[in-house]
Amino acid sequence: MKDNNCIKIVEVFRTENGSVSQCNKTNSYILEFGGTTCSFKASDFIDFTKRVNSLDLVGMILSSSSVTDVTVLMPPYSERCFVLTLTDVLNLKELLGGAKFSLHLNSVIWECLRPHLYSI
Amino acid sequence: MKDLLRLRTSLSEEIELLLNEQIKTEAYSSAVYLAMASYCNRNGFDYSAGYLENQSNEERGHMLKIFKYINDLGGRAISPEVVNIPQEFESFKGVFELALQQEIKVTSQLNRIADQCMRLKDYTTFEFIQWFLKEQIEEEYVARRILELFDVIGEEGTGRWQIDKQIPKVSYGESAGEE
């Protein structure tokens, strides 16, 4: 674990459509998706994931209006934005879901290891 | 890999969500009590109006206590959106029936949080929530006793005037029924 912390950028999860990495130097997450790269603080990343998960896919499918063909998402504290089609939303959900699982698994592993790492 | 999630907060996502829901419930209770105070004021129940205003402040205090706890632990406390506050009530007694129902709802939500804390082994939040559970014993007791005044005194004649005067005096002793 100690050696791993010296590596500044660690890949958390990757799909063929993008990746989520963690920067151990700045304590942030980096999302690469659809040609856009964004950096998030931990709390903002969780918030962004929640926003993506709450997108109304059924509404997008059922609506005949062209307005609902795409969804625009602004990551917090960023001038960039994601313009997502229905397929993009599904792909982004898959990516963020996988990243969230890996991050929680990492937390669980740390929870198990912590008593041994810092025992006197 | 560093555990950034744990560095951010010691609250799990589930508990943070439940606590934010509780903030919303407390804010809603505060707003409903204020609407009740206004109804009582409009209908000449001055003592009850004062009592309900105090209750409203108390609920807001509860909300802020949870709000501060979430932020203190590195979580994200959300300022709640409070909508659909009833402004009219069917009767003087109806006000206090609704108040008791609201308190029962709060107790049941707090129990759900305590249950989830045990499941996730979050003993810090479990300890924090104990204060609220204890508070709910008093809240429900007082709400029930007030409602009973309507039967004990009766609403006929000057009954409602008497009930109104008695309402702010209802309090909870350590053993139930104690003056």
Side-chain angles (χ1 to χ4, degrees), chain A residues 17-37:
Chain A
N17 299 297
S19 70
V20 173
S21 309
Q22 172 174 315
C23 177
N24 286 340
K25 191 181 177 192
T26 57
N27 287 351
S28 61
Y29 296 113
I30 300 152
L31 169 67
E32 285 181 79
F33 185 81
T36 303
T37 303

Side-chain angles (χ1 to χ4, degrees), chain A residues 48-115:
Chain A
F48 183 72
T49 304
K50 280 183 193 162
R51 278 168 57 201
V52 172
N53 286 333
S54 66
L55 289 175
D56 181 14
L57 285 174
V58 177
M60 281 177 87
I61 294 167
L62 295 180
S63 171
S64 57
S65 164
S66 59
V67 179
T68 54
D69 285 348
V70 290
T71 299
V72 180
L73 264 188
M74 292 282 290
Y77 314 112
S78 171
E79 290 176 355
R80 297 170 193 277
C81 70
F82 290 100
V83 181
L84 306 167
T85 62
L86 185 65
T87 318
D88 292 336
V89 174
L90 287 169
N91 290 335
L92 185 56
K93 274 191 178 189
E94 182 194 12
L95 175 62
L96 294 175
K100 193 177 161 189
F101 174 78
S102 298
L103 293 171
H104 281 291
L105 180 62
N106 184 48
S107 290
V108 171
I109 293 169
W110 268 99
E111 200 63 39
C112 297
L113 293 179
R114 210 169 269 125

